[in-house]
Amino acid sequence: MYRPLFARGGCFAARPLARPQYFLTANGFRPRHDRQQRGIKTALGDEKTGHIKAGPNEAILYFDQVFPLRLQFLFRGSNPHKDLVKLMQRFNSPSIAAADPIRIIKRAIPADAPLKITEIIPRLNDGGAFVKFSHDAHITAKEIEGLLKAYLKDSPIQPWFNPWAKLRTFLVKGQPWVEDLKRIPSTILRVEFVPVTPGAGEPVALSQEDLYSLFRKYGKLGDIETQPSDSKILPKYAYVKFSRVRKAIMAKSCMHGFQLLEEAGGGKAGTELRISYEAKAKPHWIRDWLFSHPRIVVPLVAALLATLTVAIFDPIRTFFVKAHVTRNFHISDNIVFKWLVKQADTVRGTFGKYRPDQYAGLTALWEDRKQDIEQVQTWLLDSADTFIVIQGPRGAGKKELVMQQALKDRKNTLLIDLKPVQEARGDTATIAKAALEVGYRPVFPWMNSVSSLIDLAAQGAIGAKTGFSETLDSQLTKICSTTSGALRQVALQSRKSDDKDSQLSDDEYLDAHPERRPVVVIDNFLHKSQESSIVYDKIAEWCASLTTQNIAHVIFLTHDVSFSKSLSKALPDRVFRQISLGDCQPETAKRFVLGHLDADPDDAIMVEGKKVLPSQRREDLKELDGSIEQLGGRLTDLEFLARRMKSGETPMKAVRQIIEQSASEILKMYLLDIDTSSRVWTPDQAWLLVSQLADNESLRYNEVLLSDTFKSGSMSAEKTLASLESAELISITSYNGRPSSIRPGKPVYTAAFKLLMADHGLKSRLDLSTLTNLTKIETASIEKTETELGLLSTLGARGSPGVYSRVEFLLDKLNKSQQKVESYEAQSAKLKKILQAEF
């Protein structure tokens, strides 16, 4: 290394030394001979004030491109300059030596430069270094700056970390602030104008032209923004924006603390520049554009979410629907589980009580309905694209016939019970129940409510809906669409590439092989037809698409005789294949009951070497025929009878208790005024049907429709009768597609109606209530007639012949209504006497 010394002639001489000219300490780079100043010259300025002061014949230069920018991440301690010393001393290699700031600054100063370096202060955050030097009085610092710039122009120095950059130096005009705060350099400088002496007066805010002339030399400027004229912020300021960070660093290092006196345009008190880095405002133009164009962004976000949902969740949901149809993960269909259940039943039958079959006794029923079962199986082998409808009253065994007999050996079946779906409260619960029936998961029904709130908020903000929220119809459509895709995959999963009909397309293959299609069974269709029909309509449309596209066979199970109205909307040009199930014949009903009694083999005993069944030991079976005649052939009632008989009751006693229980249900559900808010009918209308059906096997539909009791209701008579049919009080039979007759809703209701009519106290009270209401109706009619007669009487002799005809008609009507009122009053008086005297 070389040690610079002043020669006698004022020239800069150099001679080789064995040791380096400068050494690196925590207080900066120092010459070896300057030991007296070592304690007061630090990297934080003189006496750690943060400022570097230059005395007479002294000046400060700032060298750029000495360190890489933001090197402070390597030194996270409290003293990064000390850490740099330790790091530099740890290495002794040419590459590290080339990065030594002493060598870089030595190369930047020519050997004949008329100066003496007294201190070097590195600035890691700024990527440069301050060099304090002294010079002779016959040469100015400005001239030395010019010499160094000319030297660096002729002999440029490229830093090791950036071969395309060049080392630059400028004379420090102000008083630099060498703080060690955690501030990141920026291209924007905030220049504040303060008086030279605090409190001396108001400084001058420099114009853009003055700032340009002061700062342009350090690098290209992007913009200069002065303080608004109406701003009250003090001290006054301006923003100077550079194109590069290092140019802004150079300007701050050289111009901080620069003073403009009065003669230089700084005002009477003078103006001092205080410069700091201003955090660069990140241009969030993407975010700003998104928030300023919600009409474009919100639909795009909705489309993106929908795309992600389809791409991620739809395959998962299809997988679960397929597993639900094929029952691959149902433990009850597992071979090992079936074997364990069989072994457990064997052990239980040996050491304990035998568990009877829950469908015991149905053998006789299936034998009676064997033709219907074979008919359904035959239809499933046909490729006709229409519905199969099994219609029958509740408790007729529709579901058992289809699922346990017709589809007994069928693997891929999907049972959808619409009763819980229709009875669900609210759209969220309806979606959850519908998804559960088909195995559609994962499902997020609560998101529908959240999306509705977002949509409502967006509509208030931008004036249009976002499309996030979905209606119940769209949600059901999505579930049905996913299920259709899963059913199609199930139908085609057994197809192989080497089949003889492999050349057929998928649609042609499914049309040619109807036995490969899965079967969809819709249970409780039109369970509550008087309520909202959106679920039924959507299911009907979906099932129509399944049949017309040859994806699956569809079987509807319903108790409603008017099912064709709803299904014809989905398939208007098809003839449905229908099986009507009624009540069992007396002989079949008797065999059904006996089958239940003999279902448990443990109840059989040995008598004289012969096995005697429980039914053979009973002495009261002679009552069974008469009991079944009263009870009817409804399966649910027959099963109830068999259970009571098995518990030890006689057939007549069991039937009597069933009839009494049915009468109590009728009284509570249809006749008493306990809770009429959910009823469409009045107790008088229900009592009219009960009283007449107790004496007649059936009633004419139109006769009931035109009765005074049904005409006086708030709802039309047709809707009232339909509601009573849905509530199972009555059943309406049709002839040529029109309602023809009215019968009891269950066979046992005939006996229950008679039991209610035998209660004279109940009959008198309900008849009295009916007569009271009829009296009110006729009284209202009389008042209306009298009002009209009063108006006609004002015409007098001016009336035309038509007026007299109208008067005669009203008088005749008034007479008839009066006769009815008198009759009702007479009957009511008798009933009141009966109630007062006997009850």
Side-chain angles (χ1 to χ4, degrees):
M1 299 182 67
Y2 294 85
R3 181 176 181 180
L5 295 173
F6 279 110
R8 289 185 177 179
C11 298
F12 192 84
R15 58 186 178 89
L17 294 175
R19 294 182 297 177
Q21 178 183 0
Y22 300 96
F23 64 93
L24 182 63
T25 70
N27 297 325
F29 296 94
R30 301 181 174 279
R32 289 278 180 181
H33 65 276
D34 192 11
R35 300 181 182 271
Q36 296 179 352
Q37 299 180 1
R38 187 181 308 173
I40 59 175
K41 303 292 186 179
T42 67
L44 297 179
D46 299 338
E47 299 179 354
K48 293 188 178 181
T49 61
H51 294 91
I52 307 175
K53 298 180 180 179
N57 295 332
E58 285 186 338
I60 304 172
L61 289 169
Y62 182 80
F63 285 86
D64 192 12
Q65 302 288 352
V66 178
F67 303 104
L69 279 179
R70 299 183 183 179
L71 192 63
Q72 65 272 23
F73 73 93
L74 294 174
F75 313 105
R76 300 188 181 273
S78 59
N79 193 341
H81 302 87
K82 185 176 181 180
D83 295 337
L84 179 62
V85 173
K86 294 180 179 179
L87 182 65
M88 299 291 292
Q89 291 175 351
R90 187 174 300 176
F91 297 96
N92 187 16
S93 64
S95 60
I96 297 298
D100 185 357
I102 299 176
R103 293 179 179 273
I104 295 175
I105 294 174
K106 270 191 58 179
R107 292 171 55 195
I109 299 176
D112 57 349
L115 57 85
K116 178 182 179 183
I117 298 176
T118 59
E119 187 177 6
I120 300 176
I121 300 178
R123 298 293 297 157
L124 297 181
N125 288 1
D126 299 337
F130 288 101
V131 177
K132 187 177 180 180
F133 66 93
S134 60
H135 58 87
D136 254 354
H138 69 277
I139 188 170
T140 63
K142 187 67 177 177
E143 294 174 346
I144 294 176
E145 179 190 18
L147 292 174
L148 294 181
K149 285 184 176 180
Y151 177 76
L152 290 175
K153 183 177 180 180
D154 296 336
S155 304
I157 299 175
Q158 285 84 17
W160 60 272
F161 51 84
N162 189 358
W164 293 275
K166 296 180 181 180
L167 189 71
R168 298 193 311 157
T169 184
F170 280 91
L171 184 67
V172 177
K173 295 184 176 182
Q175 186 177 6
W177 184 26
V178 288
E179 38 79 20
D180 57 350
L181 304 176
K182 293 184 179 179
R183 294 182 177 179
I184 304 300
S186 171
T187 57
I188 304 175
L189 298 180
R190 179 186 174 97
V191 183
E192 296 180 351
F193 310 107
V194 299
V196 175
T197 302
E202 184 177 356
V204 175
L206 300 184
S207 63
Q208 292 184 353
E209 292 83 353
D210 295 336
L211 291 173
Y212 184 87
S213 62
L214 291 174
F215 287 94
R216 180 58 182 88
K217 67 177 75 173
Y218 301 106
K220 182 175 177 55
L221 299 178
D223 192 11
I224 298 176
E225 296 181 3
T226 57
Q227 185 178 6
S229 59
D230 57 347
S231 177
K232 304 298 183 181
I233 300 177
L234 294 176
K236 295 184 178 180
Y237 63 90
Y239 289 115
V240 179
K241 299 181 181 180
F242 284 86
S243 60
R244 299 292 179 89
V245 176
R246 285 192 177 272
K247 302 182 185 305
I249 294 173
M250 178 68 78
K252 176 183 178 297
S253 301
C254 296
M255 293 299 294
H256 181 82
F258 178 70
Q259 297 179 354
L260 283 85
L261 301 180
E262 183 179 0
E263 56 272 15
K268 294 182 178 181
T271 301
E272 181 178 336
L273 305 183
R274 289 183 182 176
I275 304 175
S276 61
Y277 296 116
E278 183 72 14
K280 186 177 181 181
K282 295 182 179 180
H284 300 289
W285 62 272
I286 297 179
R287 182 191 65 187
D288 296 340
W289 187 89
L290 292 177
F291 281 98
S292 60
H293 296 79
R295 294 179 181 271
I296 300 175
V297 174
V298 173
L300 290 178
V301 172
L304 180 61
L305 291 177
T307 303
L308 291 177
T309 302
V310 171
I312 297 174
F313 289 107
D314 274 16
I316 300 175
R317 289 164 176 165
T318 302
F319 170 80
F320 279 110
V321 173
K322 287 177 59 179
H324 184 75
V325 174
T326 58
R327 300 179 65 87
N328 289 335
F329 301 104
H330 287 243
I331 190 172
S332 59
D333 294 337
N334 187 271
I335 298 177
V336 178
F337 180 79
K338 289 181 177 180
W339 180 84
L340 291 175
V341 171
K342 184 178 180 181
Q343 299 302 316
D345 289 342
T346 303
V347 174
R348 186 170 181 173
T350 304
F351 299 100
K353 186 70 177 175
Y354 178 77
R355 183 183 62 181
D357 187 4
Q358 59 177 332
Y359 301 107
L362 291 177
T363 304
L365 180 64
W366 303 145
E367 291 176 356
D368 185 56
R369 296 178 175 177
K370 183 178 180 180
Q371 184 178 358
D372 295 334
I373 296 171
E374 292 177 349
Q375 182 65 70
V376 173
Q377 293 174 341
T378 302
W379 284 339
L380 293 177
L381 297 177
D382 196 356
S383 60
D385 50 351
T386 187
F387 298 144
I388 300 174
V389 183
I390 311 296
Q391 189 274 328
R394 293 186 177 98
K398 302 183 293 295
K399 179 180 176 181
E400 291 78 5
L401 182 141
V402 173
M403 298 304 297
Q404 296 172 26
Q405 294 299 312
L407 302 178
K408 184 177 181 180
D409 299 325
R410 197 104 180 184
K411 290 184 178 181
N412 301 325
T413 59
L414 176 61
L415 175 64
I416 302 176
D417 189 359
L418 294 184
K419 182 179 179 180
V421 179
Q422 182 66 21
E423 292 180 348
R425 295 180 178 272
D427 293 351
T428 299
T430 302
I431 295 168
K433 293 294 184 181
L436 182 63
E437 290 297 321
V438 299
Y440 180 90
R441 61 177 63 89
V443 62
F444 311 105
W446 51 269
M447 282 297 296
N448 195 38
S449 301
V450 176
S451 300
S452 299
L453 294 177
I454 295 175
D455 207 1
L456 183 62
Q459 186 176 6
I462 65 177
K465 290 187 176 181
T466 61
F468 279 116
S469 62
E470 295 183 351
T471 61
L472 176 61
D473 183 84
S474 62
Q475 291 276 10
L476 292 176
T477 301
K478 187 182 298 184
I479 295 175
C480 293
S481 177
T482 302
T483 307
S484 298
L487 290 172
R488 185 180 182 87
Q489 294 180 19
V490 170
L492 296 172
Q493 66 182 2
S494 60
R495 188 179 185 186
K496 300 179 181 179
S497 58
D498 55 350
D499 290 341
K500 61 180 181 180
D501 49 5
S502 58
Q503 73 280 359
L504 298 177
S505 63
D506 291 342
D507 294 335
E508 294 173 343
Y509 177 83
L510 292 175
D511 186 37
H513 296 276
E515 74 281 357
R516 301 289 178 85
R517 305 178 202 167
V519 180
V520 178
V521 181
I522 309 297
D523 192 16
N524 286 311
F525 184 69
L526 300 178
H527 170 68
K528 291 186 176 181
S529 56
Q530 72 277 8
E531 297 182 1
S532 175
S533 62
I534 181 173
V535 175
Y536 300 128
D537 294 341
K538 180 57 62 177
I539 291 296
E541 293 175 4
W542 173 59
C543 292
S545 66
L546 293 180
T547 56
T548 54
Q549 297 176 19
N550 297 321
I551 295 177
H553 299 285
V554 180
I555 302 177
F556 285 94
L557 309 180
T558 180
H559 72 279
D560 198 324
V561 295
S562 60
F563 62 88
S564 58
K565 295 180 181 179
S566 179
L567 295 181
S568 296
K569 298 177 183 178
L571 283 179
D573 55 346
R574 299 290 192 278
V575 177
F576 306 132
R577 293 175 170 177
Q578 177 183 353
I579 293 179
S580 296
L581 298 181
D583 297 325
C584 299
Q585 297 298 323
E587 182 62 28
T588 304
K590 182 177 181 180
R591 290 162 54 197
F592 176 81
V593 174
L594 294 178
H596 264 278
L597 294 176
D598 299 336
D600 193 346
D602 293 339
D603 293 338
I605 60 175
M606 301 299 295
V607 178
E608 297 180 357
K610 294 183 180 180
K611 190 175 183 180
V612 180
L613 298 175
S615 60
Q616 297 173 348
R617 302 197 305 269
R618 296 185 70 105
E619 297 179 356
D620 54 5
L621 288 183
K622 58 184 178 181
E623 302 176 358
L624 187 59
D625 292 336
S627 301
I628 291 177
E629 184 179 354
Q630 289 186 357
L631 190 63
R634 190 66 53 89
L635 286 182
T636 52
D637 296 333
L638 292 173
E639 186 176 3
F640 193 22
L641 172 63
R643 290 177 180 174
R644 284 185 171 274
M645 290 179 61
K646 200 168 185 179
S647 64
E649 296 181 3
T650 63
M652 292 302 296
K653 181 180 179 181
V655 169
R656 185 167 58 252
Q657 290 184 357
I658 293 174
I659 293 174
E660 290 176 355
Q661 183 178 352
S662 299
S664 299
E665 292 177 356
I666 294 171
L667 185 63
K668 181 179 179 181
M669 294 176 59
Y670 307 103
L671 301 177
L672 296 181
D673 292 327
I674 298 177
D675 182 14
T676 59
S677 59
S678 60
R679 295 179 182 175
V680 179
W681 63 89
T682 63
D684 298 335
Q685 293 170 337
W687 176 246
L688 175 64
L689 295 172
V690 169
S691 59
Q692 293 187 7
L693 287 173
D695 299 329
N696 302 281
E697 183 179 352
S698 63
L699 303 175
R700 291 192 298 272
Y701 182 83
N702 292 326
E703 180 184 1
V704 175
L705 203 67
L706 297 175
S707 63
D708 293 337
T709 304
F710 277 87
K711 288 193 301 182
S712 62
S714 59
M715 187 172 289
S716 65
E718 291 88 348
K719 291 184 179 180
T720 303
L721 290 173
S723 300
L724 287 168
E725 182 188 22
S726 178
E728 296 185 343
L729 178 65
I730 60 174
S731 62
I732 301 175
T733 58
S734 300
Y735 177 76
N736 291 335
R738 63 173 179 82
S740 174
S741 61
I742 299 176
R743 295 176 179 271
K746 295 181 180 180
V748 72
Y749 277 0
T750 300
F753 292 163
K754 293 179 179 180
L755 182 62
L756 292 173
M757 290 294 294
D759 187 348
H760 295 290
L762 176 66
K763 180 177 181 301
S764 300
R765 186 166 67 86
L766 292 176
D767 285 344
L768 179 61
S769 175
T770 302
L771 292 173
T772 302
N773 290 329
L774 291 175
T775 302
K776 291 180 181 179
I777 295 172
E778 295 301 329
T779 302
S781 178
I782 291 174
E783 291 178 355
K784 184 178 180 181
T785 304
E786 290 175 345
T787 302
E788 187 174 355
L789 286 172
L791 292 175
L792 293 175
S793 65
T794 58
L795 297 176
R798 294 176 297 172
S800 63
V803 174
Y804 293 108
S805 299
R806 179 65 178 173
V807 170
E808 292 178 359
F809 170 77
L810 292 176
L811 290 174
D812 183 59
K813 182 179 179 181
L814 183 63
N815 184 37
K816 291 180 180 179
S817 297
Q818 181 60 29
Q819 291 177 1
K820 287 183 179 181
V821 170
E822 292 176 357
S823 175
Y824 295 154
E825 290 292 344
Q827 296 178 40
S828 298
K830 294 180 181 180
L831 292 174
K832 289 178 181 178
K833 290 181 180 180
I834 294 175
L835 290 173
Q836 292 173 355
E838 300 181 10
F839 300 99

